[in-house]
Amino acid sequence: MKKLLALMLAACMVVSLAACGSSSSSSDTTAAADETTAAAAETTGDEETTAAGDETAAADESQAAEATGDYRIAMITDYGDITDQSFNQTTYEACKAFCEENGLDFTYYKPDGDSTAERVAMVEKAADEGYNVIVMPGYAFGETIVETAETYSDITFIALDVAQSDLGDDYVIPSNVYCAVYQEELSGYMAGYAAVKMGYTHLGFLGGMAVPAVIRYGYGFVQGVDTAAAELGIEATVEYVYGNQFYGDSDITAYMDNWYQTLGVEVVFACGGGIYSSAAEAAAKVDGAKVIGVDTDQQGIIDGTYGDGMTITSAMKGLAATVNSLLTEVIAGNFASYGGQVDTLGLVNGDDPESNYVQIPIEGTQWNDSFTEDDYKELVSKMYSGEITVSNDTEAMPEVSATTVNEYGNIK
């Protein structure tokens, strides 16, 4: 406005000078006045356009902030809790970090017990308290979704490891629900293959409960062990059991003691939430005994608690990556592209293993001369291209040619 007034004043001064001057300068001063007036008009337009643009940008930012602020995120735990150093903790930490970064309200709920009714109660509580995005990790939420999703149609549900079979084969997934399942058999295969290539020939698989995700891990592990043993021209042995729970206890630790101390098992793939604690406790009693982690890179927690160098690798799936990508799409207003679906997540890149939803950790694997990081990258490339295939059948133990598998059912 100050510039406008100044230009208008200048125009007036030019007109005044034109009126006082001689006739010989009349045309020049008139032209100058015209140019000054035009400049003033142009400046006025620029300022108004800039001001309008600033107001529009501010409005867009305000609306975006308001839209982001409208989302309140909650997570509900399944069998475990947020300190299980596995499935629940990874999901919790990913949700919490995302919400802190984006200025969103976040909380979590832990059901009082292990039943659909108690999980449903947590959904109801979250809804009553105003949370409109609920993240639920674990197949156990299948019935919960069926009972609550349509009732709370204004809530967005993100379910990890919930398959169509967990919801019911005839269940039509509502548009406010997204489910992700993973190709655990692929990362299980990677871990088994790596372990044998590293030099271990007597291995164990300690599963939590015999549910599809755990079975896929286990059967993939056996396939990886067998392939590596066949390539090396050796015989391998896998002891195979389920704890029938997702946490360790004295009974399971005693069972693992027998594996390590009596049977001579060298490394156990502990697959099922906090059940790793029993394998690690037993391994700590035997020089050189090892453990393979699951779901996330568990090297830090296992080595930090039970002994440096205990964890040779971990069979991982991209829980945090899924949480981040889906919550990003939610607050961007793009959830409609995902709702009503069950996605199977696995390998998406043959050249960059760390970009895949199933992998073993680059940092948390004990590479050696017989199995290097480059060997792992070559393995992933072959799996991605289809040169190596891994069965995802959960009905029967895979056929093997260079491995003896001793199945023991459930410990408890």
Side-chain angles (χ1 to χ4, degrees):
M1 185 59 69
K2 290 181 178 179
K3 290 182 180 179
L4 177 58
L5 290 172
L7 287 167
M8 290 178 68
L9 180 59
C12 292
M13 290 175 66
V14 170
V15 172
S16 299
L17 288 170
C20 297
S22 64
S23 60
S24 63
S25 63
S26 171
S27 59
D28 292 339
T29 53
T30 301
D34 289 343
E35 289 177 4
T36 305
T37 303
E42 184 178 350
T43 302
T44 302
D46 288 345
E47 288 190 348
E48 289 176 350
T49 300
T50 302
D54 290 344
E55 289 177 4
T56 300
D60 288 343
E61 290 178 4
S62 176
Q63 289 173 1
E66 184 178 351
T68 301
D70 286 343
Y71 292 107
R72 304 185 68 211
I73 317 296
M75 175 210 162
I76 302 174
T77 64
D78 69 345
Y79 295 98
D81 58 35
I82 62 168
T83 61
D84 66 1
Q85 296 294 332
S86 185
F87 205 82
N88 286 282
Q89 183 167 349
T90 300
T91 306
Y92 166 79
E93 290 176 350
C95 288
K96 184 172 183 289
F98 180 90
C99 291
E100 288 176 351
E101 182 177 344
N102 289 279
L104 300 175
D105 184 20
F106 171 70
T107 193
Y108 83 98
Y109 299 90
K110 180 178 179 180
D112 292 333
D114 176 25
S115 72
T116 295
E118 285 158 323
R119 284 184 276 274
V120 167
M122 293 300 97
V123 172
E124 293 171 344
K125 184 176 182 181
D128 289 343
E129 295 180 357
Y131 290 90
N132 53 12
V133 179
I134 299 179
V135 180
M136 301 178 294
Y139 75 95
F141 282 99
E143 292 182 7
T144 304
I145 290 171
V146 172
E147 291 193 23
T148 62
E150 294 181 61
T151 301
Y152 297 103
S153 58
D154 57 338
I155 291 178
T156 297
F157 293 91
I158 298 171
L160 309 179
D161 256 9
V162 176
Q164 182 69 58
S165 58
D166 299 317
L167 300 164
D169 292 336
D170 297 328
Y171 180 71
V172 178
I173 303 173
S175 60
N176 61 321
V177 176
Y178 170 82
C179 301
V181 294
Y182 301 86
Q183 292 181 288
E184 293 94 352
E185 69 275 7
L186 300 184
S187 53
Y189 181 98
M190 295 171 191
Y193 185 92
V196 173
K197 287 287 188 174
M198 289 174 184
Y200 302 99
T201 59
H202 196 170
L203 308 99
F205 176 80
L206 170 62
M209 299 178 72
V211 298
V214 176
I215 296 172
R216 286 194 294 270
Y217 267 131
Y219 287 3
F221 181 72
V222 169
Q223 292 175 73
V225 167
D226 191 57
T227 300
E231 288 180 1
L232 294 172
I234 62 174
E235 291 289 325
T237 301
V238 176
E239 314 293 347
Y240 197 103
V241 75
Y242 296 100
N244 204 30
Q245 61 190 39
F246 288 110
Y247 55 91
D249 64 15
S250 58
D251 293 333
I252 297 175
T253 300
Y255 202 96
M256 292 295 99
D257 285 336
N258 182 58
W259 272 14
Y260 283 114
Q261 297 179 30
T262 304
L263 298 184
V265 170
E266 299 165 290
V267 56
V268 172
F269 178 17
C271 177
I275 204 168
Y276 76 87
S277 62
S278 280
E281 286 176 15
K285 302 170 188 174
V286 178
D287 288 341
K290 304 295 184 180
V291 172
I292 294 172
V294 75
D295 289 337
T296 63
D297 183 358
Q298 291 190 316
Q299 182 191 55
I301 182 62
I302 293 175
D303 287 16
T305 305
Y306 300 98
D308 187 48
M310 182 179 290
T311 312
I312 64 168
T313 192
S314 296
M316 299 162 54
K317 55 187 175 186
L319 300 170
T322 310
V323 167
N324 287 330
S325 62
L326 262 296
L327 291 181
T328 297
E329 294 299 295
V330 167
I331 68 172
N334 299 328
F335 185 76
S337 299
Y338 299 86
Q341 301 178 40
V342 177
D343 279 345
T344 300
L345 306 177
L347 300 178
V348 296
N349 193 310
D351 299 320
D352 179 14
E354 291 184 292
S355 68
N356 292 318
Y357 284 99
V358 288
Q359 57 183 274
I360 60 176
I362 297 294
E363 295 298 324
T365 296
Q366 293 181 13
W367 313 109
N368 60 22
D369 291 341
S370 57
F371 190 70
T372 66
E373 185 177 330
D374 286 339
D375 293 330
Y376 167 56
K377 291 179 178 178
E378 181 180 358
L379 173 67
V380 172
S381 179
K382 290 179 178 179
M383 294 173 73
Y384 181 75
S385 70
E387 183 178 343
I388 294 175
T389 59
V390 183
S391 172
N392 64 356
D393 180 25
T394 58
E395 297 300 316
M397 180 67 67
E399 293 185 5
V400 292
S401 62
T403 304
T404 299
V405 181
N406 299 314
E407 296 184 74
Y408 301 103
N410 292 319
I411 295 174
K412 305 179 76 170

